[in-house]
Amino acid sequence: MADEKVAKPHTWQEAFKILGISWNSDGTLKREIQIPMVNATPSVTDPKNPPVALSTDIQLSPKSEAYVRLYIPVNPPTNTKLPLIIYIHGGDFVLFSASTVIFHEFCNNIASQFPALVVSVEYRLAPENRLPAAFDDALNAIFWVKNQASFSGGRVPWLDYADFSRVFLLGSSAGANIVYHTALRALDFDLRPIRIRGILLNQPFFGGAFRTPSELRLIEDPYVPLYMCDVLWSLALPPYANRDHEFCNPIAGGFYLGRVPRLPRVFVKADDGDPLVDRTTQLVQLLKGYKVPVVYEYNQGGFHGIETQNKTVAQSLFNAMKNFIYSTRVTYDEESHASF
């Protein structure tokens, strides 16, 4: 039996204060974000202190503010194409941006270490834009990559280095939730000439109407306490949806559950010290039950978002993800799953 702790009484006001948000009079959120946002670095301006990767912001449509931040190694190889990774940042669906420094540096390290091209997606936030808005934005980023691969409307020169037959979707926390649902939605479309070979879910942010043992064991977790998750899901889910809606609880059923057997290879990372770890294990069991190839990195200890604070853990995660991406070879069996 889990070492359950009694939940303390909490209020929305307390959650809002910790999250650094408050209501505006028009029903939108005021976000007093403490984590800095940084500009892209499209060139080396200081040869004595060069960036580990280059980046540039690309507007997806003149009719909207949607953009992606594209990353490339400072010295990309000239004799081989690089895998392309579409990255979705975390932030509980409510906070942060592709330009938030922790996610910017995360993508810099991926681009330089793997090496790879990274397309980091700026998606709309809740509650101004409730789910599935973020899923739609991620899917539109995939369509943009498809158009780049087919030279539709021209191509960003950096993408000449991309191997469009090796595209991966990667997300952290809420970003991993978005990646999972976007991958299922993408199965509706012919994405050729690109091929999505795998998805990577780092500590995915899921929930449900009933508490799991890990949620009860870590109910007052300092990083993702249950009362805060409750508030965030109330802000993110469609109006009147409960916590067993498929956007929150992917194993509860829903419209997309039948598509799970068609998913490509999946990398999943979880930590025992994360209240969401049982949700992640349940998802892994679901995937394996449908015979989806899964690599499950389960770590003792840890906590939600540990890679943003611990460089050793971050490096271990980079190594594991790099191994997953560069070891992904489509066999006859996997081809039946990788049907994008």
Side-chain angles (χ1 to χ4, degrees):
M1 179 178 295
D3 181 17
E4 299 181 9
K5 297 181 179 179
V6 178
K8 301 176 184 177
H10 295 285
T11 65
W12 272 55
Q13 289 81 0
E14 182 181 355
F16 270 42
K17 182 177 180 181
I18 293 173
L19 291 166
I21 58 178
S22 59
W23 290 114
N24 292 314
S25 59
D26 62 357
T28 61
L29 284 185
K30 180 180 180 181
R31 296 171 174 84
E32 299 174 350
I33 300 175
Q34 302 299 316
I35 302 177
M37 299 169 69
V38 293
N39 294 326
T41 51
S43 62
V44 177
T45 57
D46 181 3
K48 295 182 179 179
N49 187 30
V52 298
L54 301 179
S55 55
T56 187
D57 292 337
I58 301 169
Q59 189 173 358
L60 297 187
S61 169
K63 298 180 180 180
S64 74
E65 297 180 358
Y67 74 90
V68 295
R69 180 165 289 186
L70 176 62
Y71 296 80
I72 191 172
V74 173
N75 295 303
T78 57
N79 59 345
T80 185
K81 299 286 188 178
L82 299 177
L84 188 147
I85 300 170
I86 299 174
Y87 175 69
I88 314 295
H89 69 79
D92 312 309
F93 306 108
V94 173
L95 298 170
F96 307 137
S97 162
S99 63
T100 299
V101 65
I102 56 174
F103 305 123
H104 177 74
E105 293 303 326
F106 191 80
C107 292
N108 269 336
N109 284 315
I110 290 173
S112 64
Q113 290 191 30
F114 282 31
L117 290 169
V118 181
V119 176
S120 182
V121 181
E122 180 73 357
Y123 58 86
R124 289 170 292 170
L125 300 177
E128 296 88 347
N129 300 279
R130 291 175 177 268
L131 298 175
F135 304 158
D136 295 339
D137 293 344
L139 188 59
N140 284 333
I142 294 175
F143 293 153
W144 177 80
V145 171
K146 168 184 163 64
N147 290 337
Q148 289 287 307
S150 58
F151 287 97
S152 178
R155 177 184 288 176
V156 176
W158 284 3
L159 288 175
D160 288 338
Y161 291 95
D163 181 351
F164 292 106
S165 71
R166 289 193 296 156
V167 176
F168 296 82
L169 308 182
L170 163 63
S172 299
S173 191
N177 179 307
I178 296 169
V179 161
Y180 178 76
H181 288 288
T182 303
L184 292 172
R185 287 173 167 233
L187 292 166
D188 278 345
F189 302 95
D190 181 358
L191 297 177
R192 291 176 293 183
I194 74 171
R195 293 298 305 273
I196 298 177
R197 298 302 190 186
I199 65 176
L200 298 92
L201 311 177
N202 174 33
Q203 297 181 321
F205 188 78
F206 292 117
F210 297 96
R211 306 303 198 194
T212 67
S214 65
E215 289 172 339
L216 294 172
R217 172 170 56 90
L218 298 163
I219 197 166
E220 295 290 342
D221 179 74
Y223 300 100
V224 280
L226 264 292
Y227 77 92
M228 191 179 298
C229 290
D230 291 342
V231 170
L232 290 164
W233 280 117
S234 296
L235 295 173
L237 285 171
Y240 310 113
N242 67 30
R243 292 280 291 276
D244 277 338
H245 190 286
E246 63 185 303
F247 295 169
C248 179
N249 187 354
I251 68 170
F255 184 75
Y256 292 101
L257 188 60
R259 305 182 189 188
V260 171
R262 295 171 54 200
L263 286 173
R265 196 171 182 228
V266 181
F267 171 93
V268 184
K269 188 259 190 182
D271 291 86
D272 184 62
D274 181 356
L276 307 180
V277 66
D278 286 350
R279 301 281 178 193
T280 304
T281 300
Q282 290 172 355
L283 180 66
V284 169
Q285 291 169 345
L286 174 74
L287 295 171
K288 289 183 176 180
Y290 280 114
K291 301 189 184 304
V292 177
V294 179
V295 174
Y296 189 22
E297 290 280 335
Y298 181 94
N299 299 308
Q300 294 294 331
F303 52 85
H304 197 80
I306 186 173
E307 74 282 350
T308 65
Q309 301 183 38
N310 186 311
K311 291 184 178 180
T312 301
V313 172
Q315 189 59 57
S316 177
L317 176 61
F318 291 140
N319 293 343
M321 294 191 301
K322 175 181 178 180
N323 181 65
F324 175 84
I325 287 172
Y326 275 91
S327 67
T328 298
R329 299 289 184 269
V330 179
T331 64
Y332 177 80
D333 178 63
E334 288 180 352
E335 189 70 32
S336 64
H337 295 279
S339 55
F340 290 87

